[in-house]
Amino acid sequence: MLTRDDALKICEVVLAHAKAAGADDAQVSLNSSVESHARFADNRITTSGRAEDLDVTATVWVNRRRGSSTGNLSGVAALQQLAGDATQIARVSPVQREYIQTLGPLEYSADRGFAAASADVDVTARAKALDGVLATCRAAKVTAAGFHSARGLATAAATANGNRRFFQNSRAELSVTARTADGTGSGYFSGDHFDVARLDAQHIAEQAVGKAVRSRRPLPIEPGNYPVILEPQAVSDLIGFFTGAFDARTAEEGRSAFSAKDGKTHRGEAMFSERLNLYSDPMHPELPATPATDEGIPASRLSLVENGVIKNLRYSRYWAQEKQQAPTPGPVNYILESTGAPASMDAMITSMKRGLMISRFWYVRVVDPRTLVLTGLTRDGLWWVENGQIKNPVRNLRFNQSVLAMLAPWNVEAIGPAQRLAPYMVPALKLSSFTFTSTSDAI
Amino acid sequence: MFSRREFIGTSGVLLAGASVPEWADAFQPSVTGDAVRAEVAEAALARAAQLGAAYADIRINRYRRESIATREQQVQSVSRSNSYGFGVRVLVNGAWGFAAANQVEPGAARAAAQQAVAIATASAPLATRKVVLAGADKVVTTWTSAFRRDPFEVPLETKIAFLLKLNQTALVPGVSFVSSQVLFADEQKYFASSEGSRITQRLVRTYPQFTTTAADRATGDFQTRGVVDRAKLLGYEYLEDYPWLADAEKAGHEVVEKLKSKPVSSGRYDIVVDPSQLFLAIHESVGHSTELDRALGYEANMAGTSFLKSTDAGTVRFGSNIVNLVGDRTQPGGLATTGYDDEGVKADRWHIVRDGMFVDWQTTRELAPLVGQAKSHGCLHSDSWASVPFPRMPNVSLQPAATEVTLDNLFADIKRGLFIEGRGVSSIDQQRYNFQFGGAVIREIRDGKLGAMVKDAAYQSRTPDFWASCDGVGGPATYQLWGTSADGKGEPGQTNAVSHGCPPARFRNITILNTAAV
C-alpha cells in the first residue's frame, strides 16, 4: 500500500501532465491495495493467495469535454501517458452537459477504519485460526467450506482546483458454511471487522456448526404468508436493495420506488415503522467509513429515515446544483436501528405464536423496482417457531416480498440490536407478515 | 506495485514530447516484448522450482478496456483502462499457493514465486487431500480470437455517433429515457508452465447494451425494456453488421406498449421461451448445476452446491429426450470461447446432456481425476492476472432440432400460453433446483397465435421438472447466441463472460406468477 506522500505525489504528477496537455480541469484518483485470502472446502484449504495492485484514474476536461483513463502502472512515462490519453479522449468527446467544476480544498475528518495487520496478514497465524475452524467442524462431523480474507486499501485524490485527500481502510472477514454428513443440514455464519485481530474465528465456526446441526432433516412447509424473525444476516441480505433507492435523481425523474404521483417524491412521508432510523455516519465506532463520499464531499452523519419518515434522499453534486440544494454528505455506510431499546432475540422468539425464523437469504433480485418487490430464497437455516419456541427446521422457501411493505408501520413488531455486517449495521427484525410463493428442495 | 525508486527519481519532471507508454509497448508483437515476458516467466518458474514447488505456472496478462456511456442525446462518460500484471500459482506438498503483482519484471516475479510458495507451505498441513493434476499436452503456440476490425483502432467519434443515433432511434413517442453503453475489451494473455507450455493469446470482445424507460409522471408508474445480453467475442464489425437501430426502435415501441399493458393472470401456462431469455435459464439451471467444483462442495460457502452429485454423470435424467446441451469453448463469437484455458488446456467441445441424460461435467486439470477422467475439458479461468484461476463455465448451448422447426410451429398447438423474450429478474437456489425468471417482453399466445403484451409476469419451476417438460425446440434457423458479461462466482468474487446458444423452446404447464399481486 502506498503512503500518503507517495500516493499524492503520483496524483500531482498526473495533474501536472494533464495541465501541460491542455486540460482546463482535472481530477486524479488512486487506489493502492493489498489483499490476502484463503478458501477452504471439504474440510481442507483449497486455494489461497495474495495480490497487490494499484489503479490511477485521470479524469480531465477540455472546454467542458470530458475524458477518463485508468492504468495500474506508476512509472513517469505511464503517468504521462495516462494524462495524455484522458486529454485526447476529452478533445474528441462532445461537451459534457453535466460537467461540474472539480472540488477545491476541503477539510476532512481523520479516517478511523484501518488496521495495518489486515493489510499484511500473517499467513501462519491465519493457518492456525483456520485449523481451529476445521477441527471444530470435524469434531461435529460436519463438512466446512469458507473464506478468510483481509484487505488494506489506500485511496487518494487530487483536483486541479486544489482538493487533496488521502484515506486508508481495511477489512477482514471470515465466513463458514457447515454441512451435515447426511446432506440435510446446512449452517452459515460470518463476521467482519476492519482489524483482522478482532475476527473471532472460533465463534464464527461454532455458530455455523450449530445452525447446520439444528437445521438437519427439515420438515415440509407450504408457501404462504407467515410472521417471521429475520436474523441480522437475513436483514443485511435485503437491505442493500432498500438503501439503493435513496437516490434523489431517479426518484425525481419518476423511476424509483420513491417516485410519487405528479412528479413528486415520497420524501417527508411516514412510509416505515416509526421505531426505525436509517442513517450514515463515517464516525460510527463499530462501522467507521471513509470520511468522504465518492465525489469527495466531506461525509458526516446523514439521516435517511427518521422515526419511519423519509428524511433525505442522496443528491450528487450535479443533481444538487440542478435542484439548488447542497450535495448530501453521504451516505458512506448504512446503520439501521431501533429508535428505542432493542429487543433481544429470545424476546422475539418467546413472543412469537407461530412463524418462521430465517438465517439468511440467497440470490435476491428486484422483481419490481416500483414497489421494491424482491425475490430470493431462504438458505442455511429456516425454522418453524410455535408458542414461543423453535420447534423444527423446515424446507427452504422462495419469497416474493416488497421491502417497502416489509418495513411498513403495520409490519414491524420488534427490532433487535444492530450488528456489524459491513457496509451495514443491521438488527434482527420481527415482522407480522412475509410472503413465500414456492418451496425449494435445496439444502 | 509502484516502484518508489523509479518515482523518486523522476517526480516533478515533465517529459517533453511523446514517449512510448509502458502499456502500449507491453504486448506489441516484438522480439523484445516476448523476451521480457519469457524472462519474467522463467524467473518465477525457476524460483518456484528452487523452493520445492512440484508444479508452477504464471499468467502475464494485460487487459485494455474502453467504455462509452450515454443517455438520451448526451455522452455521460468515455473511459479507458489498462491493467497489466502477473499471477504465479504453485503446488507445494499438494497445496496451492498464489501471488500476484503489477510490476512485470524478473525481481518481482521471483518475489511473488517465493510468496506463493510460502502461502502454499503454510496451507499444506490443512490441505488434507493433495491436489493431483490431470495430464496436459505441452503447448507452445499463439492464438487470436476472430475479429475483422480492432475496436481500439476505430475513432471515438464514430462510436459516440453510433450510440447517439441508437438513442435517437429508441426515443419514439412515449419513451421517457434511453441509456446506452458500449464496452470494448482486449485481453492479451501469456501463459507459461513448469511443464514447458508457452501460450500467447489475444481475445477481443464487444459489449453493446441499451435500456429504454417509459414513465407516467401522473401516476408514478414506469416500465423498462433492456437489451443487455448481446455481447460477443467479436470486434467493431459487430456494431456495423448487426441491425442495432431496428432493435432500438423496437425496444422503444415495446416499452411504451409495456407501460399500457395489462397484468398477467397467475396460473399454469404453456410457454415458449425466446433465445434472448432461454440463454439465461440455461446459464442458471444447466451451466451452474453441471460445474463439478460445485457438486464437490468447493463453492458451498458462496455460490452453493448442485442438485447433481459427483457420481451422477451417465445415470441421471436431466430433461426430455429432445434436450441436448453441449459445453463448447470453441463456439464462434462465444464469450467463453478461447484457444486454451488458463492452465494451457486446448479448448474443448463436449456433451453435458445427451438425449436428456446428464452425461458429463465441466472440468479442470484438478477436477477431472476426481471423476476418473484423464483429461480436463479446459474450464480453468481467472478474470485478471491478480485473480486465482478456478473452474468457470464454458459456453453451454442447447442444440436445435435437426429439422426446420419455426417459432410459429412451436406456438401452433398452444391454447393458452405466453411467449417470453429478453432479460427479466432471475433468481435460483443454491443447488439450482427452484428458479424464478421474468422477461423483458411477454406476450400471450391464444390458440396458436401471438397476442397482446402482458406485464408483471414471471415463470417459476424446478430445474429437472422444467427440462422434462420441454417438448419442442426450434430448428437451426432459429438458433441464436446470447450471453452474460458478468457472471459472478468465487471468493474473492470473480466475473466471467459466457455465452449460451439456443433455439426458442416450448415448455408445458409452467407456473406463472403475477409479481405485482404477491
Side-chain angles (χ1 to χ4, degrees):
Chain A
M1 277 173 64
L2 293 184
T3 63
R4 178 188 185 92
D5 284 353
D6 285 348
L8 287 174
K9 273 181 196 165
I10 288 178
C11 294
E12 297 289 357
V13 170
V14 178
L15 282 180
H17 282 301
K19 189 174 180 186
D24 309 322
D25 197 357
Q27 169 165 308
V28 184
S29 54
L30 174 154
N31 295 302
S32 165
S33 61
V34 183
E35 184 270 339
S36 297
H37 74 270
R39 298 188 83 185
F40 49 100
D42 193 24
N43 282 348
R44 61 189 177 83
I45 293 270
T46 50
T47 56
S48 51
R50 179 180 194 276
E52 296 181 11
D53 201 8
L54 167 74
D55 68 70
V56 185
T57 299
T59 305
V60 308
W61 289 264
V62 180
N63 295 328
R64 301 173 68 91
R65 298 160 193 270
R66 177 188 183 278
S68 178
S69 186
T70 301
N72 74 334
L73 303 178
S74 57
V76 73
L79 297 179
Q80 182 187 19
Q81 173 65 31
L82 198 67
D85 196 32
T87 310
Q88 182 201 14
I89 293 169
R91 288 190 193 285
V92 296
S93 292
V95 167
Q96 187 195 14
R97 292 189 202 165
E98 299 185 6
Y99 166 68
I100 185 163
Q101 201 173 52
T102 60
L103 291 170
L106 289 167
E107 290 294 318
Y108 298 96
S109 306
D111 47 14
R112 299 170 56 175
F114 178 72
S118 302
D120 187 18
V121 159
D122 176 340
V123 295
T124 308
R126 180 180 68 193
K128 193 176 169 194
L130 295 183
D131 193 28
V133 168
L134 298 177
T136 300
C137 293
R138 280 192 214 101
K141 294 187 169 51
V142 299
T143 303
F147 179 58
H148 184 289
S149 153
R151 181 173 197 252
L153 177 69
T155 63
T159 69
N161 288 314
N163 186 274
R164 299 288 181 274
R165 52 189 196 268
F166 175 83
F167 306 111
Q168 290 178 304
N169 66 65
S170 57
R171 184 173 182 224
E173 63 172 314
L174 172 65
S175 54
V176 177
T177 297
R179 296 175 64 81
T180 59
D182 63 1
T184 70
S186 183
Y188 172 89
F189 202 77
S190 72
D192 81 283
H193 202 274
F194 63 86
D195 186 353
V196 67
R198 294 277 300 274
L199 281 184
D200 188 344
Q202 199 55 35
H203 174 72
I204 291 166
E206 286 166 4
Q207 291 293 311
V209 168
K211 284 172 180 287
V213 171
R214 284 184 280 118
S215 67
R216 270 180 307 181
R217 295 187 288 277
L219 301 179
I221 184 165
E222 287 298 310
N225 292 332
Y226 292 102
V228 294
I229 296 167
L230 306 185
E231 292 189 42
Q233 178 68 52
V235 175
S236 83
D237 293 332
L238 304 182
I239 205 70
F241 299 93
F242 178 58
T243 56
F246 283 81
D247 179 64
R249 183 174 186 173
T250 47
E252 290 170 2
E253 286 182 340
R255 46 175 167 162
S256 102
F258 292 154
S259 302
K261 289 180 182 175
D262 302 321
K264 296 180 178 144
T265 75
H266 290 303
R267 186 178 172 184
E269 292 181 24
M271 288 182 75
F272 309 111
S273 166
E274 64 179 10
R275 287 180 289 159
L276 278 176
N277 283 343
L278 175 69
Y279 63 96
S280 166
D281 183 359
M283 295 296 122
H284 193 285
E286 277 299 301
L287 188 69
T290 299
T293 67
D294 290 345
E295 292 187 306
I297 300 298
S300 57
R301 187 182 161 115
L302 171 69
S303 177
L304 297 170
V305 174
E306 194 171 297
N307 298 113
V309 176
I310 298 177
K311 195 76 178 168
N312 283 296
L313 300 176
R314 173 192 167 270
Y315 281 83
S316 65
R317 293 184 65 219
Y318 167 74
W319 199 245
Q321 181 178 271
E322 282 290 297
K323 297 294 171 181
Q324 298 176 332
Q325 305 223 2
T328 40
V332 291
N333 56 10
Y334 296 96
I335 299 120
L336 181 71
E337 64 184 22
S338 173
T339 57
S344 70
M345 181 58 77
D346 279 351
M348 290 192 199
I349 295 167
T350 53
S351 65
M352 180 170 260
K353 202 158 171 128
R354 53 193 297 282
L356 292 165
M357 182 155 151
I358 299 168
S359 277
R360 185 187 183 196
F361 291 115
W362 165 247
Y363 217 133
V364 183
R365 293 290 184 273
V366 176
V367 173
D368 191 337
R370 298 168 301 179
T371 50
L372 285 183
V373 168
L374 310 178
T375 191
L377 299 115
T378 62
R379 176 176 173 180
D380 300 320
L382 178 66
W383 293 274
W384 179 247
V385 180
E386 197 169 297
N387 296 325
Q389 288 192 319
I390 297 172
K391 298 291 281 188
N392 54 269
V394 288
R395 306 294 300 214
N396 282 310
L397 292 166
R398 172 176 293 285
F399 68 91
N400 277 265
Q401 169 69 47
S402 160
V403 73
L404 303 183
M406 180 182 102
L407 299 174
W410 58 85
N411 204 43
V412 178
E413 293 185 5
I415 303 164
Q419 295 180 20
R420 178 185 163 119
L421 284 163
Y424 312 114
M425 292 282 300
V426 285
L429 292 173
K430 185 179 177 213
L431 307 170
S432 304
S433 179
F434 203 91
T435 304
F436 300 93
T437 51
S438 57
T439 57
S440 165
D441 300 321
I443 301 291
Chain B
M1 200 61 185
F2 165 64
S3 155
R4 184 180 173 85
R5 182 185 52 76
E6 180 187 21
F7 180 73
I8 300 298
T10 54
S11 62
V13 180
L14 296 183
L15 297 183
S19 63
V20 177
E22 292 172 42
W23 62 261
D25 194 33
F27 257 91
Q28 298 309 308
S30 69
V31 176
T32 317
D34 291 346
V36 168
R37 286 193 301 278
E39 186 188 358
V40 168
E42 298 310 328
L45 298 178
R47 185 75 179 130
Q50 187 184 30
L51 294 171
Y55 170 85
D57 59 25
I58 181 169
R59 279 150 291 279
I60 306 174
N61 296 354
R62 173 185 162 213
Y63 301 85
R64 184 164 58 141
R65 297 187 176 90
E66 180 180 86
S67 70
I68 306 165
T70 72
R71 59 175 288 172
E72 292 86 57
Q73 283 304 289
Q74 58 178 309
V75 175
Q76 294 294 90
S77 66
V78 178
S79 305
R80 288 186 188 144
S81 69
N82 276 279
S83 181
Y84 187 42
F86 69 90
V88 181
R89 188 175 70 145
V90 301
L91 257 184
V92 179
N93 297 332
W96 288 117
F98 177 85
N102 63 339
Q103 284 177 293
V104 183
E105 50 95 8
R110 278 190 287 272
Q114 189 163 334
Q115 280 177 336
V117 170
I119 290 168
T121 304
S123 298
L126 306 184
T128 48
R129 183 178 60 65
K130 305 303 178 191
V131 172
V132 176
L133 298 178
D137 296 333
K138 175 182 161 183
V139 179
V140 179
T141 193
T142 296
W143 184 90
T144 302
S145 67
F147 65 91
R148 292 202 312 275
R149 197 171 178 197
D150 184 339
F152 294 86
E153 301 295 324
V154 176
L156 196 53
E157 297 93 320
T158 305
K159 300 164 186 169
I160 290 170
F162 167 82
L163 290 176
L164 294 181
K165 178 73 177 168
L166 186 140
N167 292 2
Q168 186 184 29
T169 308
L171 278 165
V172 302
V175 173
S176 311
F177 308 100
V178 57
S179 61
S180 62
Q181 297 86 36
V182 63
L183 168 72
F184 304 102
D186 178 4
E187 283 183 28
Q188 303 184 359
K189 304 163 64 162
Y190 176 74
F191 171 81
S193 78
S194 57
E195 296 170 347
S197 286
R198 302 288 184 272
I199 302 169
T200 302
Q201 299 191 89
R202 184 176 180 206
L203 299 96
V204 172
R205 300 187 180 92
T206 295
Y207 301 71
Q209 56 175 262
F210 59 94
T211 299
T212 56
T213 301
D216 182 340
R217 303 303 297 271
T219 62
D221 195 8
F222 63 94
Q223 291 288 343
T224 61
R225 196 316 182 203
V227 178
V228 295
D229 300 302
R230 302 223 75 161
K232 286 191 177 175
L233 185 74
L234 289 172
Y236 195 79
E237 70 277 5
Y238 185 34
L239 298 189
E240 298 171 318
D241 295 348
Y242 184 81
W244 293 102
L245 296 183
D247 274 15
E249 185 175 1
K250 187 162 170 271
H253 290 300
E254 283 170 343
V255 79
V256 174
E257 188 180 352
K258 191 174 175 184
L259 188 63
K260 295 172 184 164
S261 64
K262 63 177 186 181
V264 74
S265 299
S266 298
R268 293 274 192 165
Y269 290 77
D270 295 336
I271 63 174
V272 175
V273 187
D274 185 71
S276 57
Q277 161 59 208
L278 187 59
F279 90 94
L280 201 54
I282 294 168
H283 175 85
E284 299 288 14
S285 69
V286 185
H288 282 306
S289 68
T290 59
E291 292 171 311
L292 182 54
D293 57 333
R294 292 182 63 120
L296 292 169
Y298 285 29
E299 293 292 328
N301 190 55
M302 208 290 281
T305 58
S306 173
F307 69 88
L308 295 167
K309 294 191 285 296
S310 61
T311 51
D312 281 350
T315 63
V316 166
R317 178 156 286 281
F318 196 96
S320 66
N321 60 10
I322 61 168
V323 175
N324 285 283
L325 293 141
V326 296
D328 189 354
R329 298 204 72 184
T330 70
Q331 193 160 8
L335 292 167
T337 294
T338 189
Y340 296 83
D341 81 347
D342 278 349
E343 54 187 348
V345 174
K346 192 170 171 54
D348 197 4
R349 182 183 189 276
W350 70 105
H351 269 84
I352 290 174
V353 174
R354 188 193 299 275
D355 301 331
M357 291 296 291
F358 167 59
V359 293
D360 205 353
W361 297 99
Q362 304 164 38
T363 58
T364 63
R365 291 185 68 187
E366 178 181 349
L367 296 176
L370 301 177
V371 286
Q373 296 187 6
K375 291 276 185 188
S376 161
H377 285 307
C379 295
L380 198 80
H381 178 76
S382 61
D383 68 354
S384 159
W385 52 264
S387 301
V388 177
F390 77 126
R392 295 309 313 257
M393 196 186 296
N395 307 304
V396 175
S397 297
L398 177 68
Q399 301 307 287
T403 56
E404 245 352 306
V405 179
T406 66
L407 205 48
D408 284 340
N409 295 150
L410 294 174
F411 295 156
D413 74 342
I414 293 178
K415 289 205 161 11
R416 181 194 192 227
L418 295 173
F419 177 50
I420 302 172
E421 296 175 88
R423 180 186 280 260
V425 64
S426 65
S427 169
I428 188 163
D429 71 39
Q430 74 275 14
Q431 289 189 314
R432 305 280 148 173
Y433 274 122
N434 175 312
F435 63 73
Q436 179 177 317
F437 300 140
V441 170
I442 303 179
R443 293 181 188 279
E444 291 178 325
I445 304 166
R446 291 275 180 191
D447 299 321
K449 301 286 180 206
L450 209 51
M453 197 185 291
V454 294
K455 63 182 176 185
D456 304 329
Y459 63 105
Q460 190 276 316
S461 188
R462 184 178 172 275
T463 297
D465 301 342
F466 180 72
W467 289 103
S469 78
C470 180
D471 76 342
V473 294
T478 66
Y479 185 89
Q480 294 178 13
L481 189 66
W482 290 70
T484 180
S485 52
D487 178 36
K489 184 182 170 186
E491 293 176 300
Q494 294 189 38
T495 58
N496 184 34
V498 56
S499 294
H500 304 285
C502 53
R506 185 175 57 215
F507 302 86
R508 299 291 189 178
N509 200 29
I510 300 296
T511 298
I512 298 292
L513 298 177
N514 177 342
T515 55
V518 293

